[in-house]
Amino acid sequence: MHNHAPADYHCPFCHLTPDREPDVVHRDERVFAMICPRWWPRNAGHLLIIPVAHHENLYDLPAADGHAIFDVTRLLARAMRSAYDCAGVSTRQHNEPAGNQDVWHFHQHLFPRYPGDDLYRTPPEPEWLPADRRRAYAERLRAALNP
C-alpha cells in the first residue's frame, strides 16, 4: 500500500553497523531509538524512534509496533526532559514523498524543545554530526533512563 522504495533499496535502519551502537539509547524486541545524525543546532540530541521490523510507512505499520513506538516515545520524552533540561518535546513523522519522507523505513523524530528555538523554520546542519559528538547526548539519555 502506497510504497515508494525502489526494488534495490538498501535500508539504512535495517543495516545499521556496529559503529552506530554508541548512538542507540534504547532497544527492545520491537523498537530501538538512536540519536539522529542529522543535526538541528537549537534542538541538539534529537532522537529517531524506529521499529526493528521493516515497515515503510505509517500505512504498513502493524498496531503492535505502533503501540510499542508510542510507549518508547513517552519513555524517552520523559528522559529527554530530565537529561536535557528542555522546556518540552515535539514529535514528527513523515509518510510518502509529498509528506517529506526520505528514508523508506518508518521512523518518528523526538525533538527537545526550548522557548524561541524556531524548530520548524530552522534547517538542519548540512553535514551529519560525527558519532563521537553525538555520543555525549546518548550517554546523558541512557543515564536518565537508568538513574
Side-chain angles (χ1 to χ4, degrees), residues 24-47:
V24 174
V25 299
H26 172 86
R27 182 182 298 277
D28 61 35
E29 65 280 351
R30 290 195 175 272
V31 179
F32 69 99
M34 61 184 278
I35 302 295
C36 184
R38 195 157 195 205
W39 208 248
W40 274 257
R42 296 181 193 157
N43 306 89
H46 99 269
L47 293 169

Side-chain angles (χ1 to χ4, degrees), residues 114-133:
Y114 304 92
D117 66 15
D118 209 17
L119 172 64
Y120 297 111
R121 289 188 280 182
T122 303
E125 295 290 322
E127 302 295 324
W128 285 18
L129 198 70
D132 62 323
R133 299 229 1 244

Side-chain angles (χ1 to χ4, degrees), residues 9 38 94 96 100-104 107 109:
Y9 185 62
R38 195 157 195 205
H94 308 279
E96 299 188 86
N100 205 30
Q101 184 177 8
D102 61 357
V103 174
W104 308 117
H107 59 286
H109 298 258

Side-chain angles (χ1 to χ4, degrees), residues 8-20:
D8 61 347
Y9 185 62
H10 181 77
C11 180
F13 296 149
C14 289
H15 302 287
L16 285 175
T17 57
D19 63 314
R20 296 293 284 276

